[in-house]
Amino acid sequence: MRTNIRNLGILAHVDAGKTTLTERILYATGTTHKRGEVHDGTTVTDFDSQERERGITIFAAAVSCAWDGHRINLIDTPGHVDFSDEVERSLRVLDGAIVVFDAVAGVEPQSESVWRQADRNGVPRIAFVNKMDRVGADLDAAVSSIRERLHPVPLVVHLPIDRENEFTGVVDLLEMRALSWVDGRLVDTPVPDVLQEEAQRRRHMLEEAVAERHPAAMVEFCTDSAISAATLAAALRDLTRSGEGLVVLCGSAYRNRGIEPLLAAVVAYLPSPLDVPPVQGIQDGVTRERPADPAEPFAALVFKVVATTTGRLTYLRVYSGTIRKGATVLDVGATRTERIARILRVHADRQTEVDHATAGDIVAVVGPKMARVGSSLCDAAAPLLLEPPRVADPVVSVA
Ligand code: GDP
């Protein structure tokens, strides 16, 4: 089901822990069984040796993983400021993002630039305050810097349990449960007595902030003087997707703490391809919308081309229709046809071949020889030149 797809990016200032977090997500979702570490050069999303040497993510890659009945297509977005064009390019094809912050440094210069790029592209996001195990880690200070410098309405759903080296888990303020990680395993227990009062206080703050912005939550808040976990979750989803609120979680990627709640938040709050506006493109000189429907004519955007030992891999975001193995498609801008010889789902350490892919999905294809980043590949009978999603024009008053 396409509602079960999340096309997700991870955005961060360099060094905030994006690579480590990606690793841990792939590990938690069973995509990799070996835990790569950044410093030993085995990180599985690093396809390029230059990248390994420099320890920064230069080239974007898309990796599929599964979580709780959902397919998460993780689109790597380069964090280094020199590559902001690549960031922009990958932002085009994702539907939501995790923004990673350092719990000590808070908002850093590149966090601001990726934030603005995400704003321009209308990307819904949630925040992960990472490195809670570091000396000086402070969730409240990090959240203040996010509020002051990036101006979202932070909706903090975690209360950290202990600090720095002792950081063992979080209180989930929706369910009011303590989630701790013991020997790498998630343990779910009642909130300890010492944290009860603080957890109640923070839950109340969260409820107030949500009620103020969400009518259904407000009704419940006024009637019951509390909001149920289910209503809160639904309201957080709506506020995330509309960009009115920023759900904030915390953890330590390095210590593998906080990954499962983060994945649960991705599934619960970030949109599926059906929840985002239909793609726009130019057909016969006119701007048209094309719904994310498998029955529509095929239209896809190339966002990455990688030369590998097994051939040229062309990464596509399918916006509408269905692409089948063996099909011939039109590269609209170049008015040239390309053959889709194979369709691959790329996992971190292997690829699986599929016979078709439908609207909303991200796959890599083998066959196209000339298609480039930015090419629109379409059904020749209904060519659609895709554009980056339109950002609203500056408000112009109409008399
Ligand atoms: P990226 O540049 O954003 O991809 O960041 P990396 O994942 O490469 O991490 C940068 C450095 O921070 C590495 O030395 C990581 O081991 C370290 N790091 C990442 N996550 C954590 C964390 O949760 N806690 C601590 N203490 N260090 C972390």
Side-chain angles (χ1 to χ4, degrees), residues 20-337:
T20 311
L21 179 61
T22 305
E23 272 303 324
R24 298 304 190 256
I25 288 177
L26 297 179
Y27 186 73
T29 55
T31 313
T32 49
H33 298 288
K34 177 168 67 84
R35 224 181 268 181
E37 299 296 347
V38 175
H39 48 80
D40 67 12
T42 60
T43 312
V44 287
T45 42
D46 287 356
F47 284 146
D48 189 275
S49 59
Q50 181 197 9
E51 185 174 6
R52 280 179 206 202
E53 279 161 27
R54 293 175 57 183
I56 57 169
T57 312
I58 300 174
F59 298 110
V63 179
S64 285
C65 53
W67 179 258
D68 193 22
H70 289 68
R71 182 184 307 140
I72 298 177
N73 294 320
L74 206 53
I75 299 129
D76 194 16
T77 54
H80 194 273
V81 77
D82 290 353
F83 304 101
S84 60
D85 271 1
E86 277 218 27
V87 180
E88 199 89 42
R89 202 177 282 156
S90 39
L91 287 177
R92 256 201 241 176
V93 298
L94 47 84
D95 301 318
I98 300 170
V99 187
V100 185
F101 297 94
D102 180 322
V104 179
V107 173
E108 296 171 271
Q110 284 159 32
S111 335
E112 293 194 59
S113 54
V114 292
W115 187 269
R116 279 195 299 272
Q117 281 173 318
D119 273 346
R120 276 201 297 278
N121 286 275
V123 178
R125 54 217 105 132
I126 57 179
F128 184 70
V129 176
N130 187 33
K131 305 198 185 183
M132 287 300 295
D133 60 308
R134 272 187 72 191
V135 173
D138 186 336
L139 178 62
D140 291 342
V143 170
S144 297
S145 89
I146 292 170
R147 185 191 292 108
E148 282 158 22
R149 293 178 58 184
L150 307 177
H151 316 294
V153 174
L155 303 167
V156 183
V157 298
H158 282 167
L159 164 65
I161 301 175
D162 284 328
R163 305 169 63 95
E164 302 176 349
N165 216 14
E166 307 295 313
F167 171 74
T168 52
V170 297
V171 174
D172 174 339
L173 296 173
L174 265 71
E175 300 292 342
M176 292 300 263
R177 301 283 297 173
L179 309 177
S180 342
W181 287 271
V182 182
D183 298 330
R185 262 188 343 110
L186 175 62
V187 182
D188 179 337
T189 55
V191 179
D193 286 346
V194 287
L195 289 176
Q196 271 293 344
E197 201 177 310
E198 184 60 11
Q200 293 292 351
R201 192 178 71 81
R202 288 180 182 240
R203 159 103 184 190
H204 189 74
M205 279 168 49
L206 175 65
E207 289 181 11
E208 272 184 337
V210 168
E212 214 176 290
R213 290 165 183 85
H214 195 276
M218 179 56 106
V219 169
E220 205 170 303
F221 192 59
C222 294
T223 324
D224 303 339
S225 63
I227 308 178
S228 69
T231 305
L232 259 184
L236 291 174
R237 178 198 62 210
D238 295 346
L239 296 174
T240 300
R241 293 179 185 181
S242 66
E244 289 167 90
L246 176 71
V247 169
V248 181
L249 303 92
C250 69
S252 164
Y254 186 74
R255 299 201 179 199
N256 215 11
R257 292 175 184 164
I259 309 303
E260 303 89 339
L262 180 61
L263 288 167
V266 164
V267 163
Y269 308 136
L270 291 177
S272 79
L274 289 187
D275 300 316
V276 295
V279 73
Q280 290 187 336
I282 305 215
Q283 186 176 2
D284 303 329
V286 180
T287 301
R288 293 180 199 272
E289 282 189 349
R290 187 69 78 69
D293 183 342
E296 288 282 324
F298 169 71
L301 184 72
V302 174
F303 67 95
K304 182 79 190 171
V305 179
V306 188
T308 71
T309 46
T310 53
R312 198 176 139 103
L313 271 189
T314 303
Y315 284 84
L316 302 179
R317 158 84 191 231
V318 183
Y319 282 102
S320 68
T322 301
I323 180 72
R324 293 186 190 283
K325 184 177 166 174
T328 297
V329 296
L330 180 69
D331 181 339
V332 184
T335 49
R336 178 175 53 220
T337 57

